[in-house]
């Protein structure tokens, strides 16, 4: 792709993070690559995770799972979210493991042809989103699934407050999960409860796998040694002096106070660079420049401290402006910033100093890589 706005993914850092997380936990590693690999390209991210030792991939929907299968990736693959029982035949054919979310779901599933299906049972220990609410319902579900020749290969729950290590809720959920899971008298190959934050902050020996998404990209709510993976750049495509007293952009919300240098960059809210970025900063050649005027659909304007030529690279997220800082300034979380970034942005994968895209906007060295 030729767009002058691109996400750069540091494949080496991603690989190191997966290996670090796996080594630290000494458990099986489920790489969560939902939402198009957190905006970084599901297939490319999946391949790196698998080659880095991920034991299973997890997505949120059947469409996301099929995107992985259609790319020829045959790793163990789990759908964490709801799958309409009418589509279970596809899951059997494609060897996709699904989540059994309730007794009602199990009953509906068994009305379909689902012999050979693989499921993980989801236990709701307090999140109150999806999952079985009681051991009794789980026992009934298990009996029904056995009769239907469904393979119950896993059991899991999800923490609500793992971003706060002091919160008592995590312990309560863990105790409930243990109590329920052990009462079922069923051997599960996969037992998992920790997302990224719990993986790096909460110790427990009951599970044998962790489910990490954001931590693979180097970010958690805690300080870690993990490396940042994702950065976002654009390039100045237009620059000019604007005399004092003129306005910039839709709604004329910004007025130049003096003669100012205003640059235009080709990124806007349709790329996920939302209107709330107005007033925030980008990093340009050693200084920070403010987004002035409203962010447009495809473009945005920056007030530069000194002249920069067309073609100058602008860092939006990277070494100088961290993903966490962007999230904080937008009053949201890194997940939202990343997953908002749209497919319209070019993705460039960097591996051992080489870049995956024939068009590498930032650098001279070009080498085709298979990622
Ligand atoms: C998204 C998700 C994860 C991964 O969360 P991170 O915080 O990104 O590690 C794990 N488990 C479930 C059920 C999820 O929906």
């Amino acid at each position: 792709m030729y767009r002058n706005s691109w996400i750069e993914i540091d494949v080496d850092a991603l690989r190191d993070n997966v290996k670090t997380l796996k080594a630290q936990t000494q458990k099986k590693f489920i790489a969560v690559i939902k939402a198009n690999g957190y905006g970084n390209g599901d297939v490319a991210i999946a391949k790196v995770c698998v080659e880095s030792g991920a034991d299973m991939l997890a997505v949120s929907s059947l469409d996301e799972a099929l995107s992985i299968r259609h790319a020829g990736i045959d790793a163990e693959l789990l759908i964490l979210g709801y799958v309409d029982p009418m589509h279970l035949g596809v899951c059997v054919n494609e060897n996709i493991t699904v989540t059994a979310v309730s007794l009602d779901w199990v009953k509906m599933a068994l009305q379909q042809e689902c012999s050979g299906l693989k499921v993980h049972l989801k236990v709701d220990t307090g999140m109150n989103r999806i999952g079985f609410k009681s051991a009794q319902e789980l026992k009934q579900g298990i009996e029904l699934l056995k009769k239907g020749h469904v393979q119950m290969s896993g059991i899991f729950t999800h923490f609500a407050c793992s971003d706060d290590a002091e919160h008592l809720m995590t312990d309560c959920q863990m105790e409930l999960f243990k109590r329920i899971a052990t009462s079922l008298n069923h051997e599960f190959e996969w037992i998992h409860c920790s997302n990224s934050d719990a993986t790096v902050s909460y110790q427990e020996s009951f599970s044998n796998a962790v489910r990490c998404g954001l931590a693979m990209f180097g970010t958690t709510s805690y300080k870690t040694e993990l490396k940042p993976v994702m950065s976002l750049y654009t390039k100045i495509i237009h620059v000019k002096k604007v005399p004092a007293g003129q306005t910039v952009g839709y709604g004329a919300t910004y007025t130049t106070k003096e003669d100012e240098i205003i640059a235009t960059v080709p990124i806007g809210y349709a790329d996920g660079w939302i209107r709330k970025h107005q007033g925030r900063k980008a990093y340009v050649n050693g200084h920070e420049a403010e987004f002035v005027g409203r962010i447009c659909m495809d473009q945005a304007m920056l007030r530069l401290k000194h002249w920069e030529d067309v073609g100058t690279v602008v860092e939006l997220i990277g070494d100088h402006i961290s993903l966490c800082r962007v999230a904080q300034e937008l009053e949201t979380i890194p997940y939202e910033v990343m997953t908002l970034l749209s497919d319209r942005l070019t993705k460039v994968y960097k591996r051992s100093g080489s870049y995956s895209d024939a068009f590498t906007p930032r650098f001279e060295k070009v080498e085709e890589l298979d990622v």
Side-chain angles (χ1 to χ4, degrees), residues 32 34 38 80 122 129 158 195-196 211-214 335:
V32 182
K34 62 193 178 188
Y38 287 47
L80 297 165
K122 177 73 178 279
R129 188 168 63 178
H158 189 57
N195 64 352
S196 293
R211 292 188 309 271
C212 291
L214 197 67
Y335 300 84

Side-chain angles (χ1 to χ4, degrees), residues 68-367:
I68 296 302
R69 283 290 183 256
H70 291 166
I73 299 168
D74 60 5
E76 287 283 332
L77 180 56
L78 168 67
I79 300 174
L80 297 165
Y82 179 85
V83 175
D84 193 317
M86 72 191 280
H87 302 310
L88 289 176
V90 182
C91 300
V92 175
N93 287 338
E94 298 285 344
N95 188 28
I96 296 166
T97 306
V98 300
T99 295
V101 299
S102 67
L103 185 54
D104 284 342
W105 183 91
V106 167
K107 287 174 182 166
M108 285 193 287
L110 289 169
Q111 285 164 16
Q112 309 292 320
E113 180 46 63
C114 59
S115 168
L117 180 71
K118 289 197 276 188
V119 302
H120 285 201
L121 303 171
K122 177 73 178 279
V123 188
D124 180 1
T125 55
M127 180 76 179
N128 277 310
R129 188 168 63 178
I130 50 173
F132 286 81
K133 290 283 282 180
S134 72
Q136 195 200 349
E137 285 192 335
L138 272 161
K139 281 174 189 160
Q140 289 177 42
I142 288 173
E143 286 315 309
L144 290 173
L145 289 166
K146 274 184 189 158
K147 281 191 199 131
H149 304 286
V150 172
Q151 194 184 324
M152 285 160 282
S153 51
I155 189 163
F156 70 109
T157 192
H158 189 57
F159 295 131
C161 302
S162 59
D163 59 338
D164 177 1
E166 306 296 308
H167 211 293
L168 298 176
M169 180 124 183
T170 310
D171 267 331
C172 293
Q173 287 190 264
M174 192 66 220
E175 285 312 307
L176 185 55
F177 180 56
K178 267 194 228 172
R179 184 141 47 82
I180 290 177
T182 42
S183 77
L184 300 176
N185 296 314
H186 186 91
E187 283 282 323
F188 295 100
E189 187 186 342
W190 298 82
I191 304 170
H192 44 110
C193 48
S194 289
N195 64 352
S196 293
D197 276 347
T199 298
V200 302
S201 71
Y202 187 73
Q203 304 287 327
E204 49 79 26
S205 53
F206 185 68
S207 73
N208 61 15
V210 293
R211 292 188 309 271
C212 291
L214 197 67
M216 297 195 296
F217 299 98
T219 305
T220 71
S221 301
Y222 306 94
K223 220 178 136 37
T224 67
E225 307 279 280
L226 299 166
K227 300 171 180 171
V229 168
M230 175 267 181
S231 26
L232 178 64
Y233 302 97
T234 185
K235 269 184 181 178
I236 295 175
I237 50 120
H238 187 70
V239 61
K240 64 208 168 282
K241 291 205 172 92
V242 178
Q246 291 196 6
T247 63
V248 176
Y250 288 123
T253 58
Y254 177 79
T255 306
T256 51
K257 291 171 224 43
E258 54 193 348
D259 293 358
E260 294 180 5
I261 304 161
I262 302 294
T264 305
V265 288
I267 190 167
Y269 59 77
D271 300 291
W273 201 251
I274 57 175
R275 282 164 44 123
K276 209 169 169 189
H277 285 287
Q278 183 173 351
R280 285 198 57 258
K281 305 280 176 59
Y283 179 87
V284 193
N285 249 349
H287 74 273
E288 290 196 352
E290 182 183 335
F291 282 104
V292 292
R294 287 198 183 132
I295 307 286
C296 310
M297 187 188 289
D298 320 299
Q299 304 175 78
M301 280 70 86
L302 286 164
R303 175 166 48 80
L304 302 182
K305 294 215 174 91
H306 39 77
W307 186 268
E308 300 288 354
D309 292 331
V310 166
T312 303
V313 172
V314 175
E315 174 191 309
L316 301 176
I317 301 171
D319 289 345
H320 306 90
I321 300 182
S322 72
L323 175 65
C324 287
R325 172 176 157 192
V326 176
Q328 260 167 23
E329 290 175 0
L330 291 179
E331 300 174 288
T332 183
I333 49 176
Y335 300 84
E336 200 176 32
V337 176
M338 282 176 91
T339 57
L340 270 178
L341 298 179
S342 82
D343 240 9
R344 197 166 76 164
L345 295 163
T346 299
K347 288 175 195 69
V348 178
Y349 299 89
K350 180 173 125 189
R351 191 195 284 256
S352 317
S354 298
Y355 295 83
S356 63
D357 205 294
F359 169 73
T360 58
R362 191 153 69 123
F363 303 92
E364 297 300 312
K365 192 176 170 202
V366 172
E367 206 172 298

Side-chain angles (χ1 to χ4, degrees), residues 19-37:
K19 289 189 171 165
T20 301
L21 288 161
K22 220 184 134 155
Q24 282 175 355
T25 57
Q26 299 280 314
K27 293 183 181 189
K28 287 184 280 193
F29 190 84
I30 304 173
V32 182
I33 52 156
K34 62 193 178 188
N36 193 24

